[in-house]
Amino acid sequence: MLMKNQLSLLVVVSCIIHSIFWSSKAYTQNNFRVMFYNVENLFDTKHDSLKNDHDFLQGGFMNWTNWKYWEKQRNIGRVITAVGQMHSPALVGLCEVENDSVIFDLTKRSPIRTQGYEYIITNSPDLRGVDVALLYQPHQFKLIEKNEYELVRDDKNARPTRNLLHAVGEVISGDTLDVFVCHWPSRYSEQLISERGRIDAAQLLRNKADSLFLTRHNAHIIIMGDFNDLPNNKSILKTLNAQSLNNERNKKELYNMFLHRIKERDFGTLKYQGQWGVFDQFIVSGNLLMGNANIRIKNDKAHIFKADFLTEKDEKYGGIRPYRTYLGPRYIGGFSDHFPIYLDLIINPMSK
């Protein structure tokens, strides 16, 4: 009799849990936040014999130490928490991270370990060992598939660069969300000399997006990253064909969330010689900008997070600038030379 009562109780509890789970899908989700952050050289203190990470070793050019490393981890966690406000961001794209070890420490050993993040990371041929990563909360983004794509260049003398990270996941509505995290080839020497690498990266990304437009009935695509180019540069505007939000919306086109704002005063995610630039960007499929879509971007807006604690006074050029970790080889103990960016998704229950 006792076993029968226990079995009945188990069935009731199971039904309640099942009901709660499915009823949660009946409500619109307004707090699905996506952020991206170039964290400025998150290196550990251990030498990778296959990579040129000597600057960030103890006794190296940057005089990197275990204390500075863990202070950096705490700072990154503080930024993620601040961007999330009342809710942790569901997705966090990161670049300038050295390896799996530093992301494990961030998600499992730093103060944000309580926020329940899992992660995926690339294994790129970049000479310094720099990679890109995606943190995700499994209860908001159920990872289905992870891919990374290497940028193969015709120029055999070109520097190896970061791989393109592609995560495929299911959100609470049951829809599929395709997320790309990028860190395109850097600007070195003059812009035009290094531009070819970013154009090649844009073509690779465009090919992947076009494939999704062909195979998905409704392609929900979010591309985020440090593109090392501005929204109106050739690689993004022409090759990737990421259009302005002011243009007519088409489900099978890409749109840059910041292109229409680049002429605004002091608008940017980084500052170089007194000039603001927008290298960190969100590019999305048109379907996410349709008012009747199951998944859409809240208010059609993306944001640059410029909290006071992330800034310092720009003594040379005036105004403010990002409060970075290093200024040349001098440790100043800040956060990053880039500001994070974020956007919010509204996710509706799937129509039957």
Side-chain angles (χ1 to χ4, degrees), residues 226-255:
D226 176 353
F227 296 88
N228 276 304
D229 262 339
L230 301 172
N232 59 348
N233 285 149
K234 181 179 179 180
S235 63
I236 299 174
L237 187 58
K238 300 298 183 182
T239 306
L240 186 58
N241 193 22
Q243 303 175 26
S244 169
L245 294 188
N246 293 332
N247 291 11
E248 185 177 350
R249 312 288 171 81
N250 185 311
K251 289 171 59 175
K252 294 188 180 296
E253 295 292 348
L254 295 175
Y255 296 87

Side-chain angles (χ1 to χ4, degrees), residues 29-56:
Q29 183 178 7
N30 290 293
N31 59 352
F32 192 105
R33 180 156 291 184
V34 182
M35 73 170 283
F36 173 79
Y37 195 24
N38 179 327
V39 297
E40 188 198 343
N41 294 319
L42 178 58
F43 278 78
D44 61 24
T45 58
K46 302 172 185 176
H47 177 48
D48 182 342
S49 61
L50 300 178
K51 300 295 181 180
N52 182 16
D53 60 357
H54 297 89
D55 285 350
F56 284 90

Side-chain angles (χ1 to χ4, degrees), residues 5-31:
N5 288 339
Q6 289 174 331
L7 182 60
S8 299
L9 180 60
L10 182 61
V11 171
V12 170
V13 171
S14 178
C15 289
I16 292 173
I17 293 173
H18 186 270
S19 174
I20 291 172
F21 176 79
W22 284 105
S23 66
S24 68
K25 291 192 173 186
Y27 296 96
T28 298
Q29 183 178 7
N30 290 293
N31 59 352

Side-chain angles (χ1 to χ4, degrees), residues 90-334:
L91 299 174
V92 182
L94 300 174
C95 78
E96 289 201 14
V97 295
E98 185 184 13
N99 51 36
D100 182 278
S101 175
V102 301
I103 301 300
F104 178 86
D105 285 346
L106 176 64
T107 56
K108 310 302 179 186
R109 301 178 69 190
S110 84
I112 68 164
R113 63 186 180 276
T114 59
Q115 297 183 36
Y117 284 111
E118 299 296 331
Y119 67 89
I120 54 177
I121 185 170
T122 56
N123 184 19
S124 302
D126 180 87
L127 296 179
R128 293 199 309 142
V130 173
D131 282 302
V132 299
L134 179 71
L135 316 187
Y136 64 94
Q137 293 193 315
H139 68 283
Q140 298 199 74
F141 182 82
K142 180 183 177 183
L143 184 67
I144 299 171
E145 184 181 349
K146 173 245 180 181
N147 298 291
E148 59 179 299
Y149 311 112
E150 184 176 346
L151 180 61
V152 179
R153 306 282 304 280
D154 291 332
D155 180 2
K156 302 304 180 185
N157 295 318
R159 300 179 184 181
T161 191
R162 282 73 58 171
N163 290 352
L164 175 64
L165 180 62
H166 178 201
V168 184
E170 180 183 327
V171 295
I172 198 169
S173 65
D175 291 285
T176 299
L177 186 63
D178 287 278
V179 180
F180 293 91
V181 186
C182 314
H183 188 190
W184 284 6
S186 302
R187 292 189 176 200
Y188 54 87
S189 188
E190 297 180 8
Q191 176 195 347
L192 294 178
I193 295 176
S194 62
E195 185 181 48
R196 183 68 249 173
R198 293 185 294 280
I199 290 174
D200 289 345
Q203 189 60 63
L204 172 63
L205 184 53
R206 184 72 228 190
N207 292 343
K208 299 303 177 182
D210 284 342
S211 177
L212 293 174
F213 284 134
L214 286 173
T215 57
R216 304 236 196 277
H217 177 65
N218 286 310
H220 305 104
I221 303 171
I222 295 179
I223 301 165
M224 54 181 160
D226 176 353
F227 296 88
N228 276 304
D229 262 339
L230 301 172
N232 59 348
N233 285 149
K234 181 179 179 180
S235 63
I236 299 174
L237 187 58
K238 300 298 183 182
T239 306
L240 186 58
N241 193 22
Q243 303 175 26
S244 169
L245 294 188
N246 293 332
N247 291 11
E248 185 177 350
R249 312 288 171 81
N250 185 311
K251 289 171 59 175
K252 294 188 180 296
E253 295 292 348
L254 295 175
Y255 296 87
N256 192 309
M257 299 298 298
F258 288 147
L259 175 57
H260 65 296
R261 298 187 61 191
I262 58 173
K263 293 185 179 180
E264 294 180 14
R265 181 179 174 85
D266 295 335
F267 183 79
T269 59
L270 75 163
K271 196 176 187 183
Y272 179 68
Q273 295 183 349
Q275 298 296 314
W276 286 101
V278 191
F279 283 5
D280 309 272
Q281 300 159 48
F282 286 114
I283 296 167
V284 303
S285 57
N287 194 55
L288 290 173
L289 299 166
M290 303 295 180
N292 59 352
N294 285 332
I295 311 175
R296 67 183 187 276
I297 295 172
K298 187 175 183 179
N299 299 324
D300 287 359
K301 289 184 178 180
H303 311 270
I304 299 173
F305 188 75
K306 287 187 177 181
D308 288 345
F309 74 92
L310 291 179
T311 70
E312 66 175 356
K313 187 176 180 180
D314 188 340
E315 299 286 354
K316 185 174 182 179
Y317 296 104
I320 62 168
R321 64 185 182 188
Y323 180 29
R324 55 194 299 169
T325 305
Y326 274 92
L327 187 58
R330 181 166 65 90
Y331 178 76
I332 57 177

